[in-house]
Amino acid sequence: KSIFQINTIKMLRLFQNPSIRQAAQTNIKLYQRRALSAKSNPSLLAGDAGHKATHLHHHLTTLLAVSFPLYLLTPASYIDGTVDKTLGLVVSTAIAGHSWIGLNYVATDYVPKISKGLVGPARVVTALMGVVTAVGLGKVAVNEKGGVRGAVKGLWRPVGKKD
């Protein structure tokens, strides 16, 4: 017999002991608890609650990963004017929604460790941050020269010297 077969037989004999089997099952049950964000009655502020929110978050991630680089790399002559503003608003909304849902996951995971009573106020703060993000990026997309693309590209442009 190989060493693998001998070890397998020893493990099977070990788990035939009822007290060891019960301890192993108890340990497994400790790690199989329900996720905190899977409430059946979520509030409107709970952006991470439920199956649909998870799918939306994953779709927003995919949308941003694919569309944002394409938006930045498309020549300005192809998407000037209204098209640029519309795409900027789509990207702004996706960024705001993605960050709001992601911050709700953070609040669900970490705020109860401090105080369970702070979960509601944390959700209000994340919603306000999402609204401020959407309004701010939306304003940049519509009003600023170059829109969101100009703002992002401006991060890598050298600043002109003032006399």
Side-chain angles (χ1 to χ4, degrees):
K1 292 183 179 182
S2 72
I3 194 122
F4 175 75
Q5 290 173 333
I6 294 171
N7 285 338
T8 304
I9 292 170
K10 286 181 182 178
M11 280 181 45
L12 290 175
R13 284 188 187 150
L14 182 68
F15 277 102
Q16 286 177 351
N17 184 337
S19 60
I20 293 176
R21 192 174 334 121
Q22 183 180 7
Q25 288 173 349
T26 304
N27 195 21
I28 290 170
K29 287 179 186 176
L30 288 175
Y31 294 104
Q32 292 180 341
R33 65 187 182 107
R34 181 176 62 88
L36 292 175
S37 63
K39 281 184 169 181
S40 59
N41 246 352
S43 98
L44 289 175
L45 293 175
D48 63 333
H51 186 67
K52 289 182 182 180
T54 302
H55 276 285
L56 177 63
H57 191 254
H58 291 161
H59 289 304
L60 286 173
T61 302
T62 305
L63 174 73
L64 287 170
V66 172
S67 67
F68 195 62
L70 289 175
Y71 170 65
L72 291 178
L73 297 173
T74 304
S77 60
Y78 290 136
I79 59 171
D80 266 347
T82 307
V83 175
D84 185 35
K85 290 180 181 184
T86 304
L87 291 175
L89 284 173
V90 168
V91 167
S92 300
T93 305
I95 289 171
H98 176 78
S99 65
W100 173 60
I101 294 171
L103 285 173
N104 269 286
Y105 280 117
V106 172
T108 299
D109 289 343
Y110 295 106
V111 172
K113 293 177 182 179
I114 297 169
S115 170
K116 290 186 181 185
L118 290 176
V119 173
R123 290 196 187 280
V124 171
V125 169
T126 61
L128 290 174
M129 289 172 66
V131 168
V132 168
T133 302
V135 169
L137 286 175
K139 182 178 179 192
V140 169
V142 175
N143 295 331
E144 299 293 323
K145 183 180 178 183
V148 174
R149 179 207 334 244
V152 172
K153 286 184 176 181
L155 294 171
W156 285 275
R157 282 191 201 123
V159 179
K161 293 182 181 180
K162 294 183 180 180
D163 292 325

